[in-house]
Amino acid sequence: TVHELGARAPMIAWVPGAKGMGEPTEALIEFVDLYPTLIDYAGLEPPHKLSGQSLRPVLDDPSKPGKAAAYSQVNRGSTVGRSVRTARWRYTEWGPHGEKGIELYDHQDDSGEYYNLGGNPERAELVKRLKALLAKGFPEKR
């Protein structure tokens, strides 16, 4: 699912010597960040441009914010849902460009994602910014 309860998964990292060992974090991270983190701690150069980024800064200081955005995707038959999650917002488009619907949830006031603000005219500028951020996460799909 592209919704919070399904897309948010626990991640536990054991990194001896990390300054934040044993501390929880609210940082946005993705599983795609594991490989760059291993490369970083091993002191190796990545063999090519990596999709993720090293979690080392967050592992050393769990109060750091992590990524600006995390992405998820789900296929429901022939319909694709793509979502971008920021520290406060989750924006989802159904269909290649949102033609089958959009969803916008404010995690500051609605952590259960009960109230879709996607059609709210007061949120139009925010939807535009999040749509652009979503396109960065799925550039080949645009």
Side-chain angles (χ1 to χ4, degrees):
T1 180
V2 291
H3 296 284
E4 189 73 5
L5 286 175
R8 185 176 178 141
M11 182 184 295
I12 299 171
W14 179 265
V15 183
K19 296 174 188 143
M21 277 290 287
E23 298 295 321
T25 182
E26 291 296 316
L28 284 177
I29 58 176
E30 299 174 285
F31 287 115
V32 72
D33 300 326
L34 289 175
Y35 180 64
T37 303
L38 292 171
I39 293 286
D40 184 7
Y41 274 103
L44 302 172
E45 288 295 319
H48 49 75
K49 184 178 180 322
L50 303 177
S51 296
Q53 64 187 46
S54 176
L55 298 173
R56 187 178 211 148
V58 173
L59 292 169
D60 282 338
D61 182 358
S63 68
K64 290 199 173 187
K67 296 178 142 178
Y71 300 90
S72 54
Q73 176 177 314
V74 66
N75 294 336
R76 296 230 173 105
S78 63
T79 302
V80 176
R82 294 184 182 90
S83 184
V84 60
R85 173 71 155 89
T86 66
R88 180 171 179 181
W89 303 96
R90 177 177 298 282
Y91 173 73
T92 302
E93 289 184 352
W94 293 98
H97 303 284
E99 67 274 359
K100 293 192 177 189
I102 65 167
E103 297 178 47
L104 174 67
Y105 299 102
D106 181 352
H107 277 263
Q108 179 176 296
D109 297 328
D110 178 24
S111 62
E113 296 181 342
Y114 297 113
Y115 305 102
N116 181 3
L117 304 173
N120 184 331
E122 295 175 11
R123 302 290 186 196
E125 188 57 39
L126 174 63
V127 166
K128 184 178 176 181
R129 286 194 317 267
L130 291 171
K131 185 177 191 70
L133 189 59
L134 182 67
K136 285 183 181 180
F138 297 97
E140 71 283 352
K141 305 293 182 188
R142 301 282 169 190

